[in-house]
Amino acid sequence: MMKQFSVMSAAATAALMIPQAALSQTEVEVPPDGLRVRPTVRLLYDSNILRQNDDLVAGEQDDLRITPSVDVTYRRQFGLHRLTVIGSAGYDFHQRFEFLDRERISLQADADLSVSGYCHVQPRARLNFAQSNLSDQGVVVGNTQRTQDYRVAVDCEKPYGFFPVAAVGYLNTSNSASSRRIFDIDTSTAMAGIGYSKASLGEIRATFQYERFRRPNADGAIPGLRDGAENYRAGILFRRAVAPRLSWQLGANYFKTKPRAPGIADFSGLGVEAQAVYTPSNRLSVLLDVDRSSRNQSNTGATYIVQTDFTLRGNLKLGARSGLSAGGSYSRRSFKGELQLDTPLLRRSDRTRAVFAGYRYQLRSRLNAGAEIRHEWRTTAVDQFRYKSTSGLLFVGLDL
């Protein structure tokens, strides 16, 4: 049950991280074993595609985007080893703002390799190429944000007793537009810890994690600047599965962020990570995800961000061919060490809220279609970064 919970949580997290991604593009059903190729066409209408404040910007802000793509899912069990790949490759065509036309590519590959006894090595690679989130740009430009995320975890979880855990990772975010390359970011991560498992109790892990943020192209932009930070985190994570219907994990940690640049204050505080998956029936499931942490983020100009996220989502299977999903999210960001690289305005903090709903229907044995709607709005003290947007998506996919 814990393995299933981990996969669902990772999928939800990935969906939140991909910039301007449609829900159907990130939530893909993985077949039990085998390959599925699905040519798909997505039609998106957005009332404010540029994420601008209507009170400050005159003229039409809405746009229609067509994205033909090929979605691929693959899963294979090789003895005790497993490989899962989820990917999509397409191109965005905009009716009004053609300077936003560009590739939209996502790929995530996960493996679970049994090496000895209870020990597993779990490598992961994630790639995402898409138009960067325009809500975070002081100057709106067409720009492909390229994310490469690599991670290897070692887990020797046992049904009873103590066991070690460790992980290393590297994440790089780069930008295609010359004016945005100053926001490129590298992040290196290392984690080590010890866990304890007992069937009647669940699982508890104590871990220590080190992260290093660097923005390699920013140092030359401002004389004397040494941008970047070190982030230290020590915490405890508790996991438990209650029968087959409820899985949850709750973690608390203490983190401290130390910027490299003089004059930018350190920050320390309490971090939280909590997820729960509740399945009261075969037709209904509910996912709750809560996170508070210190992190870096491309395209904002802040040395680091303290961010709190809440997401609640429900999925209801209406019948053999149809399904409904709905939910909402809330995100609060506090910007630390704002370098004002592309705007003289200090954001300090913002809040972004969203509600969404979707419907899917299997027209034929190989033909799937659906519709989704989303309303999103941001509040902040800086007028330029305040906006609201309503979008609707239609998609049709054919299984080959």
Side-chain angles (χ1 to χ4, degrees):
M1 188 65 185
M2 284 303 174
K3 294 295 184 183
Q4 178 186 2
F5 173 75
S6 298
V7 171
M8 296 180 71
S9 298
T13 303
L16 293 173
M17 294 175 65
I18 296 176
Q20 295 189 348
L23 293 175
S24 64
Q25 202 162 340
T26 58
E27 296 177 5
V28 182
E29 295 180 3
V30 181
D33 196 1
L35 172 68
R36 184 177 68 189
V37 179
R38 175 183 289 178
T40 303
V41 177
R42 296 176 174 89
L43 179 65
L44 175 73
Y45 172 79
D46 197 312
S47 65
N48 186 2
I49 197 78
L50 300 181
R51 299 297 186 263
Q52 299 292 291
N53 188 333
D54 292 337
D55 297 331
L56 300 179
V57 179
E60 300 294 336
Q61 300 296 321
D62 64 325
D63 198 1
L64 189 66
R65 188 185 78 200
I66 300 176
T67 306
S69 59
V70 176
D71 302 340
V72 177
T73 60
Y74 177 75
R75 182 174 181 176
R76 184 75 175 179
Q77 191 80 28
F78 302 93
L80 298 177
H81 314 303
R82 185 177 66 247
L83 174 65
T84 303
V85 179
I86 302 174
S88 179
Y91 197 87
D92 293 343
F93 296 94
H94 290 259
Q95 183 184 56
R96 172 169 285 133
F97 299 107
E98 296 182 358
F99 72 95
L100 297 178
D101 291 356
R102 59 200 0 92
E103 70 275 17
R104 182 172 293 272
I105 300 171
S106 63
L107 174 68
Q108 181 165 319
D110 294 273
D112 190 329
L113 309 176
S114 178
V115 291
S116 65
Y118 297 110
C119 289
H120 292 255
V121 176
Q122 299 167 330
R124 181 193 68 192
R126 183 176 66 90
L127 304 176
N128 191 80
F129 296 178
Q131 167 64 40
S132 58
N133 194 331
L134 295 175
S135 65
D136 284 331
Q137 294 186 11
V139 179
V140 173
V141 297
N143 171 59
T144 300
Q145 183 171 298
R146 306 184 181 100
T147 299
Q148 303 178 60
D149 184 7
Y150 306 101
R151 183 176 185 269
V152 178
V154 178
D155 192 323
C156 295
E157 179 182 350
K158 299 188 297 184
Y160 179 80
F162 291 95
F163 58 90
V165 294
V168 294
Y170 171 76
L171 187 147
N172 170 264
T173 299
S174 61
N175 298 277
S176 64
S178 57
S179 61
R180 309 303 301 177
R181 289 173 188 162
I182 194 172
F183 296 95
D184 294 356
I185 285 181
D186 292 332
T187 302
S188 300
T189 306
M191 181 274 289
I194 187 169
Y196 177 79
S197 180
K198 187 177 180 180
S200 60
L201 173 67
E203 177 188 303
I204 188 168
R205 298 187 180 197
T207 60
F208 177 80
Q209 180 171 296
Y210 167 77
E211 293 177 309
R212 188 185 71 170
F213 311 152
R214 292 291 185 270
R215 188 173 277 136
N217 299 328
D219 288 358
I222 301 177
L225 175 66
R226 297 174 68 246
D227 190 37
E230 269 73 38
N231 195 35
Y232 304 89
R233 183 181 305 157
I236 295 177
L237 178 67
F238 182 66
R239 295 178 174 178
R240 183 170 172 80
V242 182
R245 294 189 174 185
L246 176 64
S247 294
W248 58 271
Q249 68 177 34
L250 176 63
N253 59 75
Y254 175 81
F255 65 87
K256 185 176 183 64
T257 304
K258 298 177 64 65
R260 299 172 69 213
I264 299 179
D266 297 354
F267 185 91
S268 59
L270 178 66
V272 177
E273 53 178 320
Q275 294 93 30
V277 178
Y278 178 51
T279 310
S281 69
N282 293 332
R283 299 176 58 188
L284 176 65
S285 64
V286 179
L287 169 68
L288 172 67
D289 198 317
V290 181
D291 180 83
R292 183 178 189 264
S293 61
S294 172
R295 64 189 73 173
N296 63 350
Q297 194 165 11
S298 181
N299 284 310
T300 65
T303 300
Y304 65 98
I305 295 172
V306 179
Q307 183 165 335
T308 304
D309 297 313
F310 296 88
T311 302
L312 178 64
R313 182 182 187 86
N315 298 285
L316 177 63
K317 187 176 182 180
L318 300 176
R321 293 188 173 186
S322 61
L324 179 69
S325 61
S329 64
Y330 169 86
S331 178
R332 183 185 188 279
R333 300 186 296 180
S334 295
F335 301 91
K336 307 296 183 180
E338 295 185 78
L339 303 177
Q340 300 172 274
L341 297 176
D342 65 341
T343 172
L345 303 173
L346 293 175
R347 287 194 245 186
R348 303 190 187 281
S349 67
D350 63 25
R351 291 174 173 84
T352 304
R353 301 167 177 86
V355 290
F356 48 83
Y359 175 75
R360 299 189 184 196
Y361 186 75
Q362 187 176 9
L363 300 171
R364 295 290 187 270
S365 61
R366 294 180 177 271
L367 186 63
N368 297 272
E372 296 169 358
I373 187 169
R374 178 184 180 90
H375 182 66
E376 179 178 295
W377 67 102
R378 173 181 292 171
T379 56
T380 180
V382 182
D383 291 341
Q384 180 177 336
F385 295 104
R386 190 164 54 241
Y387 71 88
K388 58 183 177 180
S389 168
T390 301
S391 61
L393 174 75
L394 299 174
F395 64 90
V396 177
L398 176 64
D399 289 337
L400 299 181

